[in-house]
């Protein structure tokens, strides 16, 4: 990966998130990122906020008009984090039907589905990934 390419722009924020450096992820300056990386960076920031216990703030910021599947998945995950299981499940079910090929929908949708006990549905959703390391699952058979 070329660190100066559009793909490489997300390397530092992505690493910070996956290392559990959530405040650093939230504070990461994304103003110089290319337009194609604005949504993925914002998704990481929202996920970091939720991990830091700020799910309500994320819901307030995303609002009811999250028309992109990435932000709808964030809303579902934030609802689940706040204990609004029914709202989260309804949103994930809608997203699975409409946007199951979206990587953020796959990751966050599967997280919610697994957490509510729908493991087979979660694995089915993750199996649709196209080269997304975060969505890779190796089923274990006895």
């Amino acid at each position: 990966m070329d660190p100066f390419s559009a793909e490489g722009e997300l390397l530092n924020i992505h690493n910070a998130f996956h290392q559990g450096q959530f405040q650093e992820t939230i504070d990461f300056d994304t103003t110089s990122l290319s337009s194609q990386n604005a949504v993925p960076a914002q998704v990481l920031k929202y996920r970091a906020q939720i991990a830091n216990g700020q799910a309500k703030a994320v819901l307030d910021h995303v609002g009811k008009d999250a028309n992109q599947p990435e932000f709808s998945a964030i809303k579902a995950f934030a609802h689940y984090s706040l204990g609004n299981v029914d709202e989260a499940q309804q949103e994930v079910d809608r997203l699975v039907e409409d946007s199951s090929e979206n990587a953020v929908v796959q990751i966050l949708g599967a997280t919610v589905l697994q957490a509510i006990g729908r493991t087979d549905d979660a694995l089915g959703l993750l199996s649709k990934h196209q080269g997304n390391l975060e969505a890779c699952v190796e089923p274990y058979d006895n």
Side-chain angles (χ1 to χ4, degrees), residues 43-95:
V43 165
L44 288 170
K45 286 179 165 233
Y46 284 148
R47 289 176 67 187
Q49 282 185 271
I50 293 168
N52 264 359
Q54 301 167 3
K56 175 76 170 99
V58 169
L59 281 177
D60 291 344
H61 193 264
V62 171
K64 294 184 185 280
D65 60 347
N67 55 2
Q68 290 180 290
E70 293 87 350
F71 296 131
S72 293
I74 287 288
K75 276 179 49 179
F77 188 58
H79 276 299
Y80 178 78
S81 297
L82 291 170
N84 304 331
V85 177
D86 290 338
E87 281 185 67
Q89 183 170 337
Q90 288 173 5
E91 186 66 25
V92 167
D93 286 341
R94 185 189 65 74
L95 285 167

Side-chain angles (χ1 to χ4, degrees), residues 6 39 43 59 78 96 102 126 130 137:
V39 170
V43 165
L59 281 177
V96 167
N102 182 287
L126 288 173
Q130 297 293 317
V137 174

Side-chain angles (χ1 to χ4, degrees), residues 12-33:
N12 291 333
I13 190 171
H14 194 264
N15 284 343
F17 176 80
H18 286 288
Q19 291 172 1
Q21 299 171 354
F22 300 126
Q23 193 58 51
E24 183 176 323
T25 303
I26 295 165
D27 295 339
F28 194 89
D29 180 13
T30 58
T31 57
S32 64
L33 295 180

